[in-house]
PDB file of all heavy atoms in Angstrom:
ATOM      1  N   ALA A   8       3.995  17.242   7.667  1.00  0.00           N
ATOM      2  CA  ALA A   8       3.291  18.160   8.559  1.00  0.00           C
ATOM      3  C   ALA A   8       1.794  17.906   8.636  1.00  0.00           C
ATOM      4  O   ALA A   8       1.117  18.466   9.501  1.00  0.00           O
ATOM      5  CB  ALA A   8       3.529  19.608   8.104  1.00  0.00           C
ATOM      6  N   SER A   9       1.263  17.066   7.759  1.00  0.00           N
ATOM      7  CA  SER A   9      -0.192  16.913   7.653  1.00  0.00           C
ATOM      8  C   SER A   9      -0.792  16.189   8.864  1.00  0.00           C
ATOM      9  O   SER A   9      -0.463  15.027   9.120  1.00  0.00           O
ATOM     10  CB  SER A   9      -0.549  16.129   6.388  1.00  0.00           C
ATOM     11  OG  SER A   9      -1.916  15.763   6.397  1.00  0.00           O
ATOM     12  N   PRO A  10      -1.701  16.824   9.603  1.00  0.00           N
ATOM     13  CA  PRO A  10      -2.342  16.122  10.719  1.00  0.00           C
ATOM     14  C   PRO A  10      -3.283  15.029  10.237  1.00  0.00           C
ATOM     15  O   PRO A  10      -3.494  14.036  10.943  1.00  0.00           O
ATOM     16  CB  PRO A  10      -3.104  17.241  11.440  1.00  0.00           C
ATOM     17  CG  PRO A  10      -3.387  18.261  10.379  1.00  0.00           C
ATOM     18  CD  PRO A  10      -2.203  18.217   9.456  1.00  0.00           C
ATOM     19  N   PHE A  11      -3.843  15.196   9.035  1.00  0.00           N
ATOM     20  CA  PHE A  11      -4.736  14.180   8.498  1.00  0.00           C
ATOM     21  C   PHE A  11      -3.955  12.963   8.029  1.00  0.00           C
ATOM     22  O   PHE A  11      -4.375  11.820   8.238  1.00  0.00           O
ATOM     23  CB  PHE A  11      -5.582  14.769   7.374  1.00  0.00           C
ATOM     24  CG  PHE A  11      -6.580  15.785   7.852  1.00  0.00           C
ATOM     25  CD1 PHE A  11      -6.263  17.127   7.909  1.00  0.00           C
ATOM     26  CD2 PHE A  11      -7.837  15.387   8.271  1.00  0.00           C
ATOM     27  CE1 PHE A  11      -7.178  18.069   8.368  1.00  0.00           C
ATOM     28  CE2 PHE A  11      -8.758  16.312   8.736  1.00  0.00           C
ATOM     29  CZ  PHE A  11      -8.427  17.657   8.783  1.00  0.00           C
ATOM     30  N   GLY A  12      -2.804  13.196   7.419  1.00  0.00           N
ATOM     31  CA  GLY A  12      -1.941  12.073   7.081  1.00  0.00           C
ATOM     32  C   GLY A  12      -1.434  11.360   8.316  1.00  0.00           C
ATOM     33  O   GLY A  12      -1.301  10.128   8.338  1.00  0.00           O
ATOM     34  N   ARG A  13      -1.169  12.125   9.362  1.00  0.00           N
ATOM     35  CA  ARG A  13      -0.689  11.505  10.594  1.00  0.00           C
ATOM     36  C   ARG A  13      -1.750  10.595  11.204  1.00  0.00           C
ATOM     37  O   ARG A  13      -1.423   9.565  11.803  1.00  0.00           O
ATOM     38  CB  ARG A  13      -0.269  12.573  11.603  1.00  0.00           C
ATOM     39  CG  ARG A  13       0.421  11.941  12.822  1.00  0.00           C
ATOM     40  CD  ARG A  13       0.745  12.939  13.878  1.00  0.00           C
ATOM     41  NE  ARG A  13       1.432  12.301  14.988  1.00  0.00           N
ATOM     42  CZ  ARG A  13       1.326  12.682  16.245  1.00  0.00           C
ATOM     43  NH1 ARG A  13       0.570  13.734  16.565  1.00  0.00           N
ATOM     44  NH2 ARG A  13       1.970  12.044  17.204  1.00  0.00           N
ATOM     45  N   LYS A  14      -3.016  10.960  11.093  1.00  0.00           N
ATOM     46  CA  LYS A  14      -4.086  10.090  11.585  1.00  0.00           C
ATOM     47  C   LYS A  14      -3.952   8.694  10.985  1.00  0.00           C
ATOM     48  O   LYS A  14      -4.066   7.682  11.692  1.00  0.00           O
ATOM     49  CB  LYS A  14      -5.458  10.659  11.199  1.00  0.00           C
ATOM     50  CG  LYS A  14      -5.978  11.765  12.070  1.00  0.00           C
ATOM     51  CD  LYS A  14      -7.257  12.332  11.501  1.00  0.00           C
ATOM     52  CE  LYS A  14      -8.321  11.276  11.257  1.00  0.00           C
ATOM     53  NZ  LYS A  14      -9.525  11.860  10.615  1.00  0.00           N
ATOM     54  N   VAL A  15      -3.713   8.637   9.702  1.00  0.00           N
ATOM     55  CA  VAL A  15      -3.589   7.346   9.019  1.00  0.00           C
ATOM     56  C   VAL A  15      -2.350   6.603   9.498  1.00  0.00           C
ATOM     57  O   VAL A  15      -2.390   5.400   9.779  1.00  0.00           O
ATOM     58  CB  VAL A  15      -3.544   7.547   7.499  1.00  0.00           C
ATOM     59  CG1 VAL A  15      -3.303   6.219   6.789  1.00  0.00           C
ATOM     60  CG2 VAL A  15      -4.833   8.192   7.006  1.00  0.00           C
ATOM     61  N   LYS A  16      -1.231   7.315   9.617  1.00  0.00           N
ATOM     62  CA  LYS A  16      -0.001   6.664  10.044  1.00  0.00           C
ATOM     63  C   LYS A  16      -0.116   6.132  11.469  1.00  0.00           C
ATOM     64  O   LYS A  16       0.340   5.008  11.768  1.00  0.00           O
ATOM     65  CB  LYS A  16       1.170   7.641   9.907  1.00  0.00           C
ATOM     66  CG  LYS A  16       1.550   7.901   8.449  1.00  0.00           C
ATOM     67  CD  LYS A  16       2.724   8.850   8.307  1.00  0.00           C
ATOM     68  CE  LYS A  16       2.313  10.283   8.366  1.00  0.00           C
ATOM     69  NZ  LYS A  16       3.416  11.216   8.013  1.00  0.00           N
ATOM     70  N   LEU A  17      -0.732   6.913  12.364  1.00  0.00           N
ATOM     71  CA  LEU A  17      -0.930   6.429  13.736  1.00  0.00           C
ATOM     72  C   LEU A  17      -1.856   5.219  13.768  1.00  0.00           C
ATOM     73  O   LEU A  17      -1.608   4.249  14.489  1.00  0.00           O
ATOM     74  CB  LEU A  17      -1.523   7.546  14.605  1.00  0.00           C
ATOM     75  CG  LEU A  17      -0.572   8.354  15.481  1.00  0.00           C
ATOM     76  CD1 LEU A  17      -1.353   9.370  16.301  1.00  0.00           C
ATOM     77  CD2 LEU A  17       0.232   7.449  16.406  1.00  0.00           C
ATOM     78  N   ALA A  18      -2.919   5.264  12.981  1.00  0.00           N
ATOM     79  CA  ALA A  18      -3.835   4.124  12.915  1.00  0.00           C
ATOM     80  C   ALA A  18      -3.105   2.876  12.449  1.00  0.00           C
ATOM     81  O   ALA A  18      -3.298   1.780  13.002  1.00  0.00           O
ATOM     82  CB  ALA A  18      -4.998   4.447  11.974  1.00  0.00           C
ATOM     83  N   ALA A  19      -2.253   3.031  11.443  1.00  0.00           N
ATOM     84  CA  ALA A  19      -1.511   1.881  10.931  1.00  0.00           C
ATOM     85  C   ALA A  19      -0.594   1.298  12.007  1.00  0.00           C
ATOM     86  O   ALA A  19      -0.483   0.072  12.146  1.00  0.00           O
ATOM     87  CB  ALA A  19      -0.710   2.294   9.702  1.00  0.00           C
ATOM     88  N   HIS A  20       0.057   2.154  12.787  1.00  0.00           N
ATOM     89  CA  HIS A  20       0.902   1.665  13.874  1.00  0.00           C
ATOM     90  C   HIS A  20       0.076   0.908  14.908  1.00  0.00           C
ATOM     91  O   HIS A  20       0.470  -0.179  15.368  1.00  0.00           O
ATOM     92  CB  HIS A  20       1.619   2.838  14.542  1.00  0.00           C
ATOM     93  CG  HIS A  20       2.869   3.261  13.836  1.00  0.00           C
ATOM     94  ND1 HIS A  20       4.063   2.588  13.962  1.00  0.00           N
ATOM     95  CD2 HIS A  20       3.109   4.307  13.000  1.00  0.00           C
ATOM     96  CE1 HIS A  20       4.987   3.188  13.239  1.00  0.00           C
ATOM     97  NE2 HIS A  20       4.441   4.238  12.644  1.00  0.00           N
ATOM     98  N   CYS A  21      -1.066   1.463  15.279  1.00  0.00           N
ATOM     99  CA  CYS A  21      -1.904   0.816  16.292  1.00  0.00           C
ATOM    100  C   CYS A  21      -2.402  -0.544  15.826  1.00  0.00           C
ATOM    101  O   CYS A  21      -2.532  -1.477  16.634  1.00  0.00           O
ATOM    102  CB  CYS A  21      -3.099   1.711  16.630  1.00  0.00           C
ATOM    103  SG  CYS A  21      -2.662   3.253  17.459  1.00  0.00           S
ATOM    104  N   LEU A  22      -2.659  -0.668  14.547  1.00  0.00           N
ATOM    105  CA  LEU A  22      -3.186  -1.916  13.992  1.00  0.00           C
ATOM    106  C   LEU A  22      -2.087  -2.901  13.598  1.00  0.00           C
ATOM    107  O   LEU A  22      -2.382  -3.990  13.104  1.00  0.00           O
ATOM    108  CB  LEU A  22      -4.054  -1.606  12.771  1.00  0.00           C
ATOM    109  CG  LEU A  22      -5.326  -0.812  13.047  1.00  0.00           C
ATOM    110  CD1 LEU A  22      -5.945  -0.324  11.746  1.00  0.00           C
ATOM    111  CD2 LEU A  22      -6.330  -1.647  13.842  1.00  0.00           C
ATOM    112  N   GLY A  23      -0.828  -2.514  13.811  1.00  0.00           N
ATOM    113  CA  GLY A  23       0.281  -3.396  13.449  1.00  0.00           C
ATOM    114  C   GLY A  23       0.497  -3.495  11.957  1.00  0.00           C
ATOM    115  O   GLY A  23       1.024  -4.503  11.474  1.00  0.00           O
ATOM    116  N   MET A  24       0.137  -2.453  11.215  1.00  0.00           N
ATOM    117  CA  MET A  24       0.201  -2.495   9.764  1.00  0.00           C
ATOM    118  C   MET A  24       1.158  -1.462   9.171  1.00  0.00           C
ATOM    119  O   MET A  24       1.214  -1.297   7.954  1.00  0.00           O
ATOM    120  CB  MET A  24      -1.201  -2.272   9.180  1.00  0.00           C
ATOM    121  CG  MET A  24      -2.217  -3.286   9.652  1.00  0.00           C
ATOM    122  SD  MET A  24      -3.906  -2.906   9.108  1.00  0.00           S
ATOM    123  CE  MET A  24      -3.721  -3.128   7.348  1.00  0.00           C
ATOM    124  N   ALA A  25       1.914  -0.775  10.002  1.00  0.00           N
ATOM    125  CA  ALA A  25       2.778   0.293   9.501  1.00  0.00           C
ATOM    126  C   ALA A  25       3.789  -0.225   8.487  1.00  0.00           C
ATOM    127  O   ALA A  25       4.137   0.474   7.529  1.00  0.00           O
ATOM    128  CB  ALA A  25       3.482   0.991  10.658  1.00  0.00           C
ATOM    129  N   ASP A  26       4.258  -1.471   8.682  1.00  0.00           N
ATOM    130  CA  ASP A  26       5.270  -2.005   7.775  1.00  0.00           C
ATOM    131  C   ASP A  26       4.684  -2.432   6.435  1.00  0.00           C
ATOM    132  O   ASP A  26       5.432  -2.800   5.517  1.00  0.00           O
ATOM    133  CB  ASP A  26       6.000  -3.183   8.424  1.00  0.00           C
ATOM    134  CG  ASP A  26       5.077  -4.340   8.791  1.00  0.00           C
ATOM    135  OD1 ASP A  26       3.837  -4.167   8.728  1.00  0.00           O
ATOM    136  OD2 ASP A  26       5.589  -5.417   9.152  1.00  0.00           O
ATOM    137  N   ARG A  27       3.363  -2.369   6.294  1.00  0.00           N
ATOM    138  CA  ARG A  27       2.723  -2.706   5.013  1.00  0.00           C
ATOM    139  C   ARG A  27       2.450  -1.467   4.168  1.00  0.00           C
ATOM    140  O   ARG A  27       1.922  -1.578   3.062  1.00  0.00           O
ATOM    141  CB  ARG A  27       1.405  -3.449   5.274  1.00  0.00           C
ATOM    142  CG  ARG A  27       1.593  -4.798   5.953  1.00  0.00           C
ATOM    143  CD  ARG A  27       0.273  -5.420   6.358  1.00  0.00           C
ATOM    144  NE  ARG A  27      -0.628  -5.598   5.237  1.00  0.00           N
ATOM    145  CZ  ARG A  27      -1.862  -6.106   5.341  1.00  0.00           C
ATOM    146  NH1 ARG A  27      -2.310  -6.480   6.535  1.00  0.00           N
ATOM    147  NH2 ARG A  27      -2.624  -6.237   4.285  1.00  0.00           N
ATOM    148  N   ILE A  28       2.808  -0.300   4.698  1.00  0.00           N
ATOM    149  CA  ILE A  28       2.511   0.960   4.013  1.00  0.00           C
ATOM    150  C   ILE A  28       3.803   1.702   3.695  1.00  0.00           C
ATOM    151  O   ILE A  28       4.650   1.891   4.568  1.00  0.00           O
ATOM    152  CB  ILE A  28       1.601   1.850   4.879  1.00  0.00           C
ATOM    153  CG1 ILE A  28       0.244   1.166   5.085  1.00  0.00           C
ATOM    154  CG2 ILE A  28       1.418   3.221   4.247  1.00  0.00           C
ATOM    155  CD1 ILE A  28      -0.677   1.916   6.029  1.00  0.00           C
ATOM    156  N   THR A  29       3.942   2.106   2.443  1.00  0.00           N
ATOM    157  CA  THR A  29       5.035   2.968   2.015  1.00  0.00           C
ATOM    158  C   THR A  29       4.497   4.392   1.909  1.00  0.00           C
ATOM    159  O   THR A  29       3.517   4.635   1.201  1.00  0.00           O
ATOM    160  CB  THR A  29       5.584   2.534   0.650  1.00  0.00           C
ATOM    161  OG1 THR A  29       6.113   1.201   0.754  1.00  0.00           O
ATOM    162  CG2 THR A  29       6.694   3.480   0.192  1.00  0.00           C
ATOM    163  N   VAL A  30       5.129   5.324   2.627  1.00  0.00           N
ATOM    164  CA  VAL A  30       4.687   6.713   2.589  1.00  0.00           C
ATOM    165  C   VAL A  30       5.369   7.424   1.428  1.00  0.00           C
ATOM    166  O   VAL A  30       6.601   7.428   1.330  1.00  0.00           O
ATOM    167  CB  VAL A  30       4.990   7.434   3.913  1.00  0.00           C
ATOM    168  CG1 VAL A  30       4.542   8.893   3.833  1.00  0.00           C
ATOM    169  CG2 VAL A  30       4.292   6.727   5.077  1.00  0.00           C
ATOM    170  N   ARG A  31       4.571   7.988   0.536  1.00  0.00           N
ATOM    171  CA  ARG A  31       5.087   8.724  -0.620  1.00  0.00           C
ATOM    172  C   ARG A  31       5.059  10.222  -0.306  1.00  0.00           C
ATOM    173  O   ARG A  31       3.970  10.805  -0.177  1.00  0.00           O
ATOM    174  CB  ARG A  31       4.233   8.426  -1.850  1.00  0.00           C
ATOM    175  CG  ARG A  31       4.693   9.085  -3.147  1.00  0.00           C
ATOM    176  CD  ARG A  31       5.929   8.418  -3.727  1.00  0.00           C
ATOM    177  NE  ARG A  31       5.800   6.981  -3.911  1.00  0.00           N
ATOM    178  CZ  ARG A  31       5.251   6.411  -4.989  1.00  0.00           C
ATOM    179  NH1 ARG A  31       4.757   7.157  -5.961  1.00  0.00           N
ATOM    180  NH2 ARG A  31       5.204   5.090  -5.092  1.00  0.00           N
ATOM    181  N   PRO A  32       6.235  10.853  -0.133  1.00  0.00           N
ATOM    182  CA  PRO A  32       6.261  12.296   0.167  1.00  0.00           C
ATOM    183  C   PRO A  32       5.542  13.084  -0.928  1.00  0.00           C
ATOM    184  O   PRO A  32       5.779  12.875  -2.122  1.00  0.00           O
ATOM    185  CB  PRO A  32       7.756  12.621   0.203  1.00  0.00           C
ATOM    186  CG  PRO A  32       8.420  11.317   0.522  1.00  0.00           C
ATOM    187  CD  PRO A  32       7.592  10.279  -0.173  1.00  0.00           C
TER     188      PRO A  32
END
Side-chain angles (χ1 to χ4, degrees):
S9 169
F11 292 91
R13 188 185 182 212
K14 280 174 54 184
V15 175
K16 288 181 276 189
L17 262 182
H20 277 281
C21 293
L22 295 168
M24 302 173 66
D26 60 350
R27 296 172 58 181
I28 296 175
T29 298
V30 179
R31 182 74 53 85

